[in-house]
Amino acid sequence: MAERRSRWMDSDLDQLRQLARTFMEKEVAPHQERFAEQKQVDRDLWRRAGEVGLLCLSIPEEYGGGGGTFAHEAVLLEEQARAGDSAWGNSVHSGIVAHYLNSYGSEEQKQRWLPKLASGEYVGAIAMTEPGAGSDLQGIRTKAVREGDEYVINGSKTFITNGVHADLVIVVAKTDPARGAQGISLIVVENDIRRGRVLDKVGMKGQDTAELFFDDVRVPAANLLGGQEGLGFVQLMQQLPQERLIIGVCSVAGIEAAVDVTLKYVKERTAFGKELMKFQNTRFKLAECATEAAVTRAFVDECIEKHLRGELDVPTAAMAKWWASDRLGKVVDECVQLFGGYGYMNEYPIARAWSDARVQRIFGGTNEIMKEIIARSL
């Protein structure tokens, strides 16, 4: 099959793809086993990425970013998936954290924080999920109480990507618990973070995912995002479509990578005296997987184009997240089956892809929540 070229690609993005591919092949792919053993990438990886200009690609140049669009972020995400990496949490750092700061930060806040994220001096994280509150953001218990020119934050967060390396954390907290969703605010915490254990996950073994604790943490009141309290829930809702599109992009790229590696395997592996690819079941299963990849790519590309025009709405982003992550799980499972026993060995990329894929249906809002969002729009 001819490789499909997305309509949103251009020559500038082609050059970025080559840079991203080279970086992944040199700095990321060879170190997967070590990243998994230490449950995090090397801290220097962030600085090296900043040096070659791969951080904050869609943040304006005046704040140290690449001055690009979401398409630039998508290319990097695709090349990360192609390299078989799920350890580097740049999608959160550049695609989510930096955009909260760029969208809601004051000029002073943007000048203070964004260049540090773009250079890799700072690693960013966002602390939403709590032990008792996952997809239900209104159920969070972390509180931020105003005392003079400071906020005093108390609470705990879990499943935080980049939690150990993070120098800057956007904390979702209640500044007025009596007001429900209207009492939620986003407050930036720098460095003063107590880290819990690095979590032992089923997949994404090399990704720095941790518990965070805030015990009477004092931060300047000027670290509030948006200039006034109570805007946090609206800010979260406005940014979640991009987060969910990121999951969609990662998922479809994961589908394509799984099909590619499986095609190569079945053309080399033999059974009963002939290549696996010559068995009808193998060909039919891969025909199904290739079709799933093509259909999902077409929809995700349409969503990327809408997002680039500023037209991606919440229900459509939910569709992209649900559909792509669900198809990823289905396709990777089929590919594991075609590998036979070797598909269950962690030394094979398809095994890691299988275990990495499962969480895509959970984070960013579970797929059940995505269906509820879609249903409400009907």
Side-chain angles (χ1 to χ4, degrees):
M1 290 178 63
E3 184 174 344
R4 184 183 189 277
R5 179 178 171 82
S6 299
R7 290 181 301 184
W8 48 265
M9 287 291 297
D10 58 26
S11 59
D12 176 58
L13 293 169
D14 287 331
Q15 293 179 32
L16 171 63
R17 187 178 296 283
Q18 189 54 54
L19 171 64
R21 185 168 297 183
T22 300
F23 183 83
M24 289 296 169
E25 290 175 348
K26 178 182 178 182
E27 302 287 357
V28 180
H31 309 296
Q32 290 299 299
E33 290 187 14
R34 181 164 53 80
F35 291 165
E37 289 174 2
Q38 63 195 28
K39 296 184 179 179
Q40 56 191 274
V41 300
D42 299 334
R43 181 61 179 82
D44 282 346
L45 177 64
W46 293 97
R47 297 188 181 90
R48 291 195 293 272
E51 288 171 1
V52 299
L54 288 178
L55 298 180
C56 301
L57 288 166
S58 54
I59 294 300
E61 292 181 8
E62 62 191 286
Y63 304 120
T69 67
F70 181 80
H72 293 77
E73 303 288 357
V75 166
L76 180 54
L77 291 170
E78 290 174 353
E79 289 306 312
Q80 185 175 3
R82 180 181 179 277
D85 175 65
S86 63
W88 188 33
N90 183 54
S91 61
V92 171
H93 173 96
S94 295
I96 299 175
V97 174
H99 281 271
Y100 276 96
L101 300 179
N102 188 55
S103 297
Y104 310 117
S106 65
E107 184 64 23
E108 188 276 331
Q109 288 173 330
K110 290 190 281 190
Q111 292 285 356
R112 176 157 45 115
W113 291 321
L114 286 173
K116 292 181 179 180
L117 293 178
S119 69
E121 178 184 347
Y122 269 17
V123 174
I126 182 164
M128 296 188 203
T129 304
E130 298 183 2
S135 297
D136 179 15
L137 291 174
Q138 295 187 57
I140 64 169
R141 296 184 177 181
T142 298
K143 295 180 181 180
V145 179
R146 180 76 179 258
E147 292 187 2
D149 293 331
E150 295 180 318
Y151 282 104
V152 180
I153 302 175
N154 282 281
S156 62
K157 301 288 184 177
T158 193
F159 309 143
I160 307 305
T161 299
N162 301 334
V164 171
H165 281 162
D167 307 282
L168 179 151
V169 179
I170 298 174
V171 179
V172 182
K174 286 191 173 177
T175 44
D176 188 348
R179 298 188 65 203
Q182 295 180 344
I184 293 175
S185 301
L186 305 185
I187 300 172
V188 175
V189 177
E190 289 181 84
N191 298 312
D192 191 6
I193 306 156
R194 181 163 69 88
R195 335 262 172 168
R197 61 194 175 107
V198 180
L199 301 172
D200 184 17
K201 306 183 295 298
V202 170
M204 293 189 164
K205 293 287 189 178
Q207 189 181 95
D208 164 11
T209 309
E211 299 171 321
L212 301 181
F213 299 96
F214 302 90
D215 309 309
D216 290 328
V217 173
R218 291 182 173 271
V219 300
N223 284 18
L224 176 71
L225 287 184
Q228 66 182 75
E229 295 180 0
L231 299 179
F233 193 77
V234 172
Q235 293 165 341
L236 290 165
M237 294 303 103
Q238 290 172 343
Q239 293 297 315
L240 278 172
Q242 175 156 308
E243 177 179 348
R244 288 164 181 162
L245 182 56
I246 285 171
I247 296 170
V249 171
C250 292
S251 294
V252 71
I255 293 171
E256 293 165 343
V259 172
D260 286 346
V261 73
T262 305
L263 274 171
K264 181 179 179 181
Y265 179 80
V266 299
K267 290 178 180 179
E268 296 173 348
R269 177 77 172 172
T270 60
F272 303 103
K274 61 181 180 180
E275 295 174 1
L276 292 181
M277 188 59 177
K278 293 183 178 179
F279 289 93
Q280 186 185 66
N281 180 70
T282 301
R283 297 198 306 274
F284 280 15
K285 286 297 182 183
L286 282 170
E288 293 172 6
C289 291
T291 304
E292 295 279 15
V295 172
T296 305
R297 166 57 69 182
F299 179 51
V300 171
D301 276 355
E302 179 184 320
C303 290
I304 291 172
E305 292 169 9
K306 285 184 176 181
H307 193 42
L308 293 173
R309 298 193 300 266
E311 298 172 1
L312 182 66
D313 58 30
V314 171
T316 307
M319 289 178 181
K321 190 272 182 185
W322 164 59
W323 181 263
S325 63
D326 189 76
R327 298 299 94 182
L328 172 64
K330 180 178 184 293
V331 169
V332 174
D333 192 73
E334 294 283 12
C335 290
V336 167
Q337 192 71 17
L338 291 174
F339 271 77
Y342 291 107
Y344 205 62
M345 300 296 107
N346 276 325
E347 63 193 89
Y348 281 75
I350 197 66
R352 297 195 296 271
W354 181 65
S355 58
D356 290 345
R358 185 60 185 87
V359 76
Q360 304 284 343
R361 286 178 272 168
I362 298 173
F363 59 27
T366 65
N367 281 4
E368 290 72 24
I369 295 295
M370 296 305 98
K371 293 175 185 178
E372 180 64 26
I373 291 170
I374 296 163
R376 288 176 181 177
S377 70
L378 300 180

